[in-house]
Amino acid sequence: MSLNVKSKSYIAFLAITATLIYIYIVINYSIPNIWMLIFWSGLAITVESLLIPMPSNNVGVSVGYAINIASIIVGGPLLATTSAGLGFLLRAPKITGRGYVHILNLPPHKSVFNVSQSIIVTAFISLTYVWIGGEIGKFSIFPTLVILLLGIILNTTIISGYLTSSTGQKFHVVWINNVKGMITSAVAVGTMGIIIALAFIGYGYGAVILFFGPLLLARYSFKLYIEMRNLYLSTIQALNKTVEAKDPYTSGHANRVEKFAVELAEAYHLPFESVQNIKTASILHDIGKIGINDSILNKATRLSQEEFHEIMRHPSIGADIISKVDFLKDITTIVKHHHERFDGKGYPDGLHGDEIPIEAAILTIADSYDAMTSDRPYRKALTQEEAFEELKRNAGTQFHPQLVETFISIMNH
């Protein structure tokens, strides 16, 4: 995939910044001895080659942060920055379906980005360690805790900047998503780095090898977590495909509803967790239709009252299905109430006004808008302007009035 101008400019900026900061470190700092460089670079290359691919954003994570933190404490800025850069430059992780990926078969811009990011982050936090009183070759608790957190912030900021430039997503949303996804594991891995540094200071190279085992165990535990997350995402997609197989007219509907709902939730400044719940609920909001007769779902004319009452059961059926799945329980009420009306005349429980969860009210608008602007067996799609007029006309009765106003505003930009 070719890079856009923003992504090219961003990577060029990182490369120039990395070059300048590395030159500064070479001029002002030294490496204790060549054996330390070989040893810590070897560790960095090894752990970076044990990369764990992430399922959604085309990046990966490793336990290399532990080696970065340890090498800063024991050897200072030049040792840490050089070994970190070599770790990214010479790594060869095995990626499912692609085999071993290394500098010779990786697109040049990815290598430049990876090495530049590594140099910038490691150089900046190692310099910070020294500037705030950290002693090279000795453990200084306050400077170490500072750089531990600072490294996480810098890493997520640089990655989020690249994803924003390449995908057009909002920076703060991408950044929060990255921080949420890695903060706990990064702190745990960084803490392991502190232990490795203490082992080296107290007992030398052999002790580091001894503690390398627990680091690999931490990597294995995180790998299991990612695999579980992959299974979680695959389950959601499989459930969505089940609905689409039952009702061919909803093909692509869930993905469009997800897009509209997430944009509205973000514009309405909902918390990160609420946005994530809306994202999942949007994909699964019609899962209850698997319990509805096909002849009703695919009917080419308007439904009778009896048939409509049958359709009205799908939010409750969906909520019941989801409530049995532990990792989906948080979205049960969103799915159950996405057909409630602001005036209390909706279903299944006739909630009104603020009784309706705000996430469900958002999903209602996104779902209704996509339904209106899509062809149905019994009518042609409305234009965007016609759909907006319908939303305005029903604001305060069917739809949450403030949400309608916000939705139309973001859709017009």
Side-chain angles (χ1 to χ4, degrees):
M1 187 175 114
S2 59
L3 293 178
N4 59 35
V5 175
K6 284 185 178 180
S7 296
K8 290 179 180 177
S9 300
Y10 184 73
I11 293 175
F13 170 76
L14 292 180
I16 293 170
T17 303
T19 301
L20 293 176
I21 197 169
Y22 188 69
I23 290 172
Y24 172 83
I25 286 178
V26 168
I27 293 173
N28 291 278
Y29 296 92
S30 61
I31 296 173
N33 61 69
I34 190 64
W35 297 113
M36 285 187 69
L37 176 61
I38 294 172
F39 179 75
W40 290 101
S41 295
L43 291 182
I45 294 167
T46 300
V47 294
E48 291 301 341
S49 294
L50 297 173
L51 188 71
I52 305 170
M54 295 295 284
S56 58
N57 53 12
N58 202 30
V59 298
V61 296
S62 75
V63 291
Y65 193 45
I67 302 303
N68 290 358
I69 293 294
S71 59
I72 289 170
I73 296 171
V74 304
L78 186 56
L79 172 68
T81 305
T82 303
S83 60
L86 289 173
F88 274 84
L89 186 66
L90 301 179
R91 70 181 182 179
K94 187 176 182 180
I95 308 296
T96 302
R98 296 175 60 188
Y100 288 97
V101 177
H102 46 76
I103 190 172
L104 298 179
N105 62 13
L106 198 65
H109 72 270
K110 289 190 176 182
S111 295
V112 172
F113 173 82
N114 290 334
V115 175
S116 298
Q117 175 200 5
S118 176
I119 289 175
I120 291 170
V121 173
T122 309
F124 193 83
I125 64 174
S126 61
L127 290 173
T128 301
Y129 179 79
V130 173
W131 292 339
I132 62 176
E135 292 186 62
I136 299 173
K138 294 182 180 179
F139 175 61
S140 306
I141 184 166
F142 175 72
T144 301
L145 293 177
V146 169
I147 66 169
L148 183 65
L149 296 176
L150 183 60
I152 297 170
I153 293 171
L154 285 175
N155 261 311
T156 52
T157 298
I158 292 174
I159 292 172
S160 300
Y162 175 72
L163 293 175
T164 299
S165 69
S166 60
T167 66
Q169 299 178 69
K170 295 179 181 177
F171 175 82
H172 73 280
V173 175
V174 178
W175 187 82
I176 291 173
N177 193 14
N178 273 297
V179 168
K180 287 275 186 177
M182 71 182 302
I183 182 71
T184 303
S185 58
V187 169
V189 169
T191 302
M192 184 63 69
I194 295 173
I195 296 172
I196 289 174
L198 290 172
F200 182 83
I201 292 169
Y203 302 99
Y205 294 97
V208 174
I209 299 300
L210 183 65
F211 279 100
F212 198 60
L215 181 62
L216 295 181
L217 181 61
R219 181 259 179 192
Y220 178 70
S221 298
F222 189 66
K223 181 174 181 288
L224 291 180
Y225 163 75
I226 294 300
E227 289 174 348
M228 182 181 70
R229 188 167 181 263
N230 286 344
L231 180 61
Y232 162 77
L233 294 172
S234 297
T235 301
I236 291 174
Q237 292 300 330
L239 289 171
N240 181 39
K241 294 297 182 185
T242 302
V243 177
E244 291 188 350
K246 282 276 290 183
D247 184 1
Y249 289 99
T250 63
S251 180
H253 169 67
N255 291 330
R256 293 191 299 271
V257 170
E258 176 195 352
K259 176 179 179 294
F260 297 143
V262 168
E263 288 179 359
L264 178 53
E266 290 172 351
Y268 209 66
H269 305 297
L270 259 59
F272 174 82
E273 290 298 333
S274 293
V275 175
Q276 293 304 108
N277 286 338
I278 287 173
K279 186 174 184 178
T280 305
S282 298
I283 297 174
L284 295 176
H285 70 283
D286 280 337
I287 187 65
K289 286 184 177 180
I290 64 176
I292 306 300
N293 192 291
D294 289 355
S295 64
I296 297 176
L297 292 176
N298 301 324
K299 189 175 179 181
T301 57
R302 288 192 177 275
L303 301 176
S304 66
Q305 187 173 3
E306 182 179 330
E307 289 167 337
F308 185 66
H309 283 152
E310 181 68 12
I311 282 285
M312 288 171 62
R313 295 176 54 237
H314 84 269
S316 296
I317 294 173
D320 186 56
I321 293 170
I322 288 171
S323 68
K324 303 297 192 297
V325 184
D326 188 59
F327 60 75
L328 296 176
K329 286 181 179 178
D330 288 345
I331 68 167
T332 301
T333 57
I334 306 176
V335 171
K336 184 176 183 179
H337 297 301
H338 77 277
H339 277 292
E340 302 286 0
R341 290 171 53 106
F342 196 76
D343 59 8
K345 297 179 180 179
Y347 58 90
D349 294 334
L351 302 182
H352 70 277
D354 292 336
E355 291 178 349
I356 305 170
I358 192 67
E359 296 91 345
I362 286 173
L363 182 52
T364 299
I365 291 175
D367 183 33
S368 299
Y369 176 78
D370 186 69
M372 286 187 281
T373 54
S374 301
D375 288 330
R376 286 290 189 257
Y378 51 85
R379 62 153 176 81
K380 288 292 185 180
L382 302 182
T383 65
Q384 184 181 68
E385 285 305 316
E386 289 171 336
F388 286 167
E389 287 303 314
E390 191 70 17
L391 289 174
K392 291 176 184 176
R393 186 161 44 249
N394 291 281
T397 53
Q398 183 177 356
F399 307 115
H400 190 299
Q402 284 76 39
L403 288 176
V404 168
E405 183 180 339
T406 303
F407 181 74
I408 293 174
S409 174
I410 61 173
M411 292 297 290
N412 278 327
H413 285 82

